[in-house]
């Protein structure tokens, strides 16, 4: 088994173990969010690429299920990618800034102050074609070092697996599941952070512009230990400045 095969095998094992230990879904009313992302992609040759990413995350408020009623987060992040092969991509984000407001669960949450966070991320992503034409299994393993204002530094690991299918040359569908584990002072990565399942469709709007629309469900652990169900509408807009962007 080659190096890439071992990476895929270990990722599959971790995913199965994490899925078995996933906490039950949260009870109670779900929270609703709108997640908007705009990305500018710049190829740096055949194997290198850099992205600049802006995000805006909105949320429902008291008395409404409108996912755009109130601001929850905005961020800016820089990515650098290296693709040693067509099926493997290494990702590094040397800097990201997040400005987040509390989730509005009660009326008291509306007056709470926002928090600032700086994040450093490294990840490995892979894809493997399946016997069915245009069908791929995909995976991602990543780690984030998070510096949140007035809080201890945190390290969070992420494990993702999914399926991607090119329905037509212009439409690609994807289904993904991701499990996130965080820790602060303890050396073991044992603290469930959140679990995400989503489906989306990607469509090119022009030779350099594409849009992804999807739905994301999250089981999120709150600071008080409770679990919250969260429904997100996703809209990602990507603009490529060259034809080599993946």
């Amino acid at each position: 088994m080659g190096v890439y095969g071992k990476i895929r095998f270990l990722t599959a094992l971790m995913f199965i173990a994490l899925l078995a230990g996933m906490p039950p879904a949260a009870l109670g009313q779900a929270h609703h969010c709108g997640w908007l992302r705009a990305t500018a992609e710049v190829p740096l040759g055949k194997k290198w690429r850099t992205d600049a990413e802006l995000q805006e995350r909105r949320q429902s408020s008291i008395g409404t299920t409108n996912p755009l009623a109130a601001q929850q987060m905005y961020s800016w992040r820089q990515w650098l990618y290296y693709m040693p092969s067509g099926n493997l991509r290494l990702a590094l984000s040397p800097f990201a800034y997040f400005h987040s407001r509390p989730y509005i669960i009660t009326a008291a949450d509306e007056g709470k102050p926002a928090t600032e966070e700086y994040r450093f991320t490294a990840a490995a992503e892979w894809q493997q074609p399946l016997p069915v034409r245009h069908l791929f299994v995909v995976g991602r393993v990543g780690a984030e070092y998070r510096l949140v204002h007035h809080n201890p530094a945190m390290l969070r690991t992420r494990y993702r697996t999914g399926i991607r299918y090119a329905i037509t040359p212009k439409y690609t569908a994807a289904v993904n599941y991701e499990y996130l584990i965080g820790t602060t002072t303890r050396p073991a990565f044992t603290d469930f952070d959140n679990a995400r399942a989503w489906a989306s469709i990607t469509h090119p709007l022009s030779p350099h512009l594409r849009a992804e629309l999807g739905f994301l469900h999250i089981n999120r652990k709150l600071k008080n230990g409770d679990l919250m169900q969260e429904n997100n509408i996703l809209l990602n807009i990507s603009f490529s400045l060259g034809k080599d962007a993946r």
Side-chain angles (χ1 to χ4, degrees), residues 17-57:
L18 291 167
L19 183 60
M22 180 180 175
L27 300 176
Q29 185 175 359
H31 202 56
H32 303 278
C33 297
W35 204 330
L36 313 174
R37 178 185 297 142
T39 305
E41 306 171 345
V42 182
L44 302 176
K46 292 184 177 180
K47 294 188 175 183
W48 292 89
R49 195 186 87 191
T50 185
D51 289 357
E53 174 189 285
L54 290 172
Q55 292 188 113
E56 168 92 24
R57 184 178 166 94

Side-chain angles (χ1 to χ4, degrees), residues 77-136:
R77 176 157 47 188
Q78 188 73 38
W79 284 102
L80 179 66
Y81 297 102
Y82 173 64
M83 290 151 281
S85 73
N87 293 326
L88 179 67
R89 182 170 74 169
L90 305 179
L92 177 67
S93 174
F95 177 81
Y97 171 77
F98 288 76
H99 184 276
S100 303
R101 303 198 66 85
Y103 288 98
I104 302 176
I105 309 301
T106 66
D109 296 327
E110 293 183 312
K112 292 180 180 179
T115 59
E116 293 184 320
E117 175 184 344
Y118 298 92
R119 193 177 296 182
F120 310 90
T121 307
E125 307 168 359
W126 57 267
Q127 65 177 15
Q128 179 64 42
L130 295 176
V132 178
R133 191 179 181 185
H134 304 310
L135 186 65
F136 294 83

